[in-house]
Amino acid sequence: MSLRDEGNLDEAQRYLLEAIEEFRREDDAWWQARTQRNLAELRLAQRRFEEARGLLESSLEVFQRNGNRYSEAQTLRALGEVLASEARRLRAAGDDAAAEIKYSLAAPALERAAEAFRLRGEQWEEARCLRAAGEVGDLRNGLRELAFVRHAEQMLDALGDTWGVARTRISEGRALGRLGRHVEAADALRRAVADFDEVGNRWWQARSRRTLAEILLDGGAPAEAAGPAREALELYQSLGNAAGVARARSVLDRASGSGGQ
C-alpha cells in the first residue's frame, strides 16, 4: 500500500488486483479478504464508493466467519469511511433523505470499530477510527465530530506519531469548516501543509493544499485559495493522479471564478 500512500494509485491498483487473483487461485480467503480491503481503500481514494463498499462487505463476511476481530474492526472502520463518503456525495447531490440513511450507518460503524480497538488496547488503531468518526460530515453532529478529531490528535501526539498528527489536522480543519469556523479551519490546514512539506509526502502535500483551498473558498477568500489550489494541481499532475487532478482543477476553477462558466 506504499504506492497508494505516495499517490501512485494506478500502479497500486495493478499490484493489488494481481495479488487478489493470486490469493483466489490459492484459495486463501483470509489474504484475499485483506487485500480486497486494501483495494477498497484505494477505490475510496478514487471516489469509486460503490465498488469499495462491495469489496469491504465481502471482506467483512470472511473476517466475521473466521472470528478475526482485529481485521473485522479494521474493515468496519474502512466501511464506515466509505459510507460517510457516500453520504456526503448524496447530500451534495441534494438527496438528503438517502444521505441521512448513510450517515446513520457510517457513524455507528466507526464508533464500534473504535470501541473494539479500545478494548484491545490498540491506541493507534482507536485513534484512526476516532479521526474517521470525526470526518463523517453529518452537519447534525458537528461538535461531536470535532471532539472525536481532537481526541484522536491528542492520542496520536502522545504516541509520537507526527505523520498521524499532520493527517488529523486536515480532519480538524474540515470539522471546523463544517461548523463555519473558517479562520480556525484554515489555521489547522496551514499547519498540516507545513507538516507534510516537512515529511515530503507529495500526495498529502497535495491533499492538504486542496483542502486548504476548499476551506478558503467556503470562507469567502477565493484570492487566497488560488495559490494552494494551483500547487495541489501541480503536485497531483506530477504524481499522475487523475482523480486528484480533476478535484484540484475543479477547486482552482472555483477560485479563479470559472467554475460556473
Side-chain angles (χ1 to χ4, degrees), residues 168-212:
T168 306
R169 283 177 176 156
I170 296 179
S171 305
E172 182 183 9
R174 288 173 174 154
L176 287 164
R178 289 192 294 272
L179 290 168
R181 294 158 61 174
H182 295 109
V183 173
E184 294 174 77
D187 286 344
L189 285 157
R190 288 189 183 100
R191 291 197 300 273
V193 167
D195 289 342
F196 283 118
D197 283 350
E198 186 174 341
V199 170
N201 184 302
R202 286 188 296 160
W203 190 31
W204 285 100
Q205 286 176 297
R207 292 187 70 173
S208 57
R209 281 168 167 78
R210 190 201 72 228
T211 308
L212 172 59

Side-chain angles (χ1 to χ4, degrees), residues 46-173:
Q46 294 173 319
R47 303 179 67 78
R48 294 163 64 174
F49 303 142
E50 186 173 351
E51 291 179 57
R53 178 162 44 82
L55 289 164
L56 290 166
E57 288 171 347
S58 173
S59 294
L60 192 60
E61 289 178 6
V62 172
F63 296 135
Q64 290 173 333
R65 188 166 59 246
N66 292 347
N68 190 316
R69 300 307 177 205
Y70 187 93
S71 293
E72 179 183 343
Q74 286 182 315
T75 307
L76 193 61
R77 185 263 310 154
L79 181 58
E81 290 177 314
V82 170
L83 289 165
S85 294
E86 289 184 302
R88 292 192 296 271
R89 174 178 282 178
L90 287 164
R91 187 187 66 201
D95 193 344
D96 291 341
E100 286 184 12
I101 293 171
K102 294 288 186 180
Y103 281 132
S104 70
L105 295 171
L110 291 163
E111 292 179 41
R112 288 201 307 275
E115 178 64 7
F117 285 122
R118 187 190 68 79
L119 293 172
R120 294 176 62 96
E122 297 283 353
Q123 290 185 310
W124 186 84
E125 291 282 7
E126 180 189 355
R128 188 177 181 186
C129 294
L130 290 172
R131 180 176 66 214
E135 291 183 326
V136 168
D138 188 342
L139 299 178
R140 299 166 299 180
N141 296 321
L143 288 173
R144 181 176 174 81
E145 291 186 8
L146 178 60
F148 281 140
V149 168
R150 286 184 164 167
H151 187 192
E153 185 173 341
Q154 291 169 0
M155 292 178 69
L156 292 165
D157 187 47
L159 291 168
D161 183 356
T162 54
W163 189 97
V165 169
R167 169 68 182 83
T168 306
R169 283 177 176 156
I170 296 179
S171 305
E172 182 183 9

